[in-house]
Amino acid sequence: MNHLYDVKAPAKINIFLHVIGRRLDGYHMLQTVFRLIDLHDNLSFNLRNDGTISFEMTSNNIPNEYNLVIKAAKLLKMHVKSNKGAHIFLEKNIPIGGGLGGGSSNAASTLIALNKLWSAGLNRQELMKLASCLGADVPFFIFGDNAFASGIGNILHRIDLPLKYYLIMQPGISINTKDIFSDSILKRDTRRVTMCQFMDSPSYLFGKNDLEDVVFVRYPDICNTVVFFKQHGFAFKMSGSGSCFFIEYDNISQSILALNKIGNIINKVCGSFRPAKFFFTGSYVGLDEHPLKYWVTK
């Protein structure tokens, strides 16, 4: 029997992100549309019969106390009272602190893969409930589909999105989500919208990201870079709490042409202003569903 699983943990973007209030317990009330994209981290899981959970990764090793992969594995092991273990290898491609949900996606793929590897037998709702202990975005990656989300991001409704391609700009900055949400200048009173309103409007043009203003004040270089590209016809939108920004295109040819145009613009820049340190890794297609959706029973 093969006890080695190789799985993908896809990134997400927030087509819009509205902060509509704050609960007494400090959690923020949100509305957003989560879209999966084909930028992904890779994880492999090898069964260990000694009950030990071991971990390694290609680079940027994360301390165990902050490592959501290890936290997810230990949480599932404790929940199902398994005497099995696993060796987990993580190859990072999604930028850390980029607002693309890399850590949350890794945690979700870990829960899904180990649930199967250990024959734990938890269904989707049980895994999502467990995932909520790890972070507000983690249940979405177990949900299996693109979603219109409300509450604290935990109330999810499946949504059909058209085929689109996304050019991702990744400034060389890692942003702490808690710092952005706790900032005193964050407005928390955006008017509620409905899923029908979103579906009646071109997705990329709908709404805004309420966290952008906070990031622009805290990180002037990011603000200057986004303004610079807007002046040249590229209206980037921020995903999550940053630092990554994206533009949506109808097909891959448009996105590649845009990437080439951006390269030419940067090469022609003169004077004192230069865009902040950033990089583009290419164009990513929006996914219809999570690659591990059918690893979980309803």
Side-chain angles (χ1 to χ4, degrees):
M1 181 180 295
N2 186 3
H3 292 304
L4 176 65
Y5 291 156
D6 293 313
V7 304
K8 294 180 179 181
K12 60 82 181 169
I13 55 175
N14 299 85
I15 300 296
F16 73 93
L17 198 166
H18 293 169
V19 183
I20 62 174
R22 193 174 192 176
R23 303 194 318 193
L24 293 177
D25 60 8
Y27 281 97
H28 286 83
M29 303 296 290
L30 310 173
Q31 287 189 304
T32 188
V33 164
F34 289 119
R35 168 137 220 189
L36 297 161
I37 61 174
D38 72 343
L39 170 62
H40 56 265
D41 291 340
N42 298 308
L43 295 113
S44 62
F45 299 84
N46 206 341
L47 183 67
R48 293 184 60 146
N49 290 314
D50 61 0
T52 300
I53 295 170
S54 53
F55 174 84
E56 62 177 315
M57 64 185 294
T58 48
S59 60
N60 297 317
N61 201 31
I62 305 167
N64 287 357
E65 60 268 28
Y66 301 112
N67 190 322
L68 283 177
V69 170
I70 293 177
K71 287 185 176 182
K74 290 183 176 179
L75 180 64
L76 180 66
K77 180 178 172 65
M78 180 178 65
H79 183 77
V80 300
K81 299 179 173 59
S82 176
N83 59 3
K84 298 176 182 178
H87 180 72
I88 307 169
F89 180 82
L90 170 62
E91 178 188 26
K92 282 295 295 178
N93 298 303
I94 303 171
I96 297 173
L100 301 180
S104 296
S105 186
N106 293 158
S109 289
T110 297
L111 290 175
I112 294 170
L114 292 182
N115 183 54
K116 185 172 182 178
L117 185 67
W118 293 342
S119 301
L122 299 186
N123 63 29
R124 193 178 311 278
Q125 291 302 316
E126 290 169 326
L127 281 175
M128 288 177 66
K129 184 177 180 180
L130 201 61
S132 66
C133 301
L134 298 167
D137 287 354
V138 185
F140 160 68
F141 289 102
I142 294 175
F143 182 68
D145 295 295
N146 296 312
F148 185 98
S150 55
I152 59 172
N154 61 328
I155 302 172
L156 303 168
H157 296 278
R158 181 181 179 276
I159 192 168
D160 290 318
L161 297 173
L163 178 65
K164 298 290 182 179
Y165 289 80
Y166 298 92
L167 190 60
I168 308 292
M169 180 177 73
Q170 304 176 17
I173 297 172
S174 178
I175 292 180
N176 186 291
T177 299
K178 291 182 179 179
D179 290 344
I180 303 304
F181 272 104
S182 63
D183 198 295
S184 60
I185 70 169
L186 175 63
K187 294 182 179 180
R188 303 171 173 91
D189 58 358
T190 298
R191 183 179 297 181
R192 288 180 182 270
V193 296
T194 67
M195 191 163 70
C196 289
Q197 287 174 316
F198 172 77
M199 295 304 291
D200 288 341
S201 175
S203 61
Y204 183 74
L205 300 177
F206 188 90
K208 59 180 180 175
N209 186 331
D210 287 335
L211 305 180
E212 272 192 17
D213 290 341
V214 180
V215 170
F216 286 165
V217 170
R218 282 175 166 257
Y219 300 93
D221 283 347
I222 291 180
C223 180
N224 292 338
T225 299
V226 173
V227 170
F228 168 81
F229 283 121
K230 187 174 183 180
Q231 291 170 344
H232 288 83
F234 296 94
F236 281 96
K237 293 179 75 172
M238 191 173 79
S239 181
S241 58
S243 59
C244 290
F245 288 74
F246 66 93
I247 296 182
E248 180 181 277
Y249 292 98
D250 290 332
N251 57 63
I252 192 169
S253 297
Q254 289 179 352
S255 64
I256 292 173
L257 285 172
L259 184 59
N260 291 335
K261 184 178 179 181
I262 286 172
N264 292 333
I265 291 170
I266 293 170
N267 290 335
K268 293 179 181 178
V269 170
C270 58
S272 59
F273 172 72
R274 296 286 296 183
K277 181 182 177 183
F278 65 91
F279 56 96
F280 295 87
T281 56
S283 179
Y284 301 98
V285 64
L287 302 176
D288 289 332
E289 59 189 25
H290 195 286
L292 302 181
K293 177 180 177 178
Y294 300 104
W295 282 39
V296 185
T297 58
K298 293 183 179 179

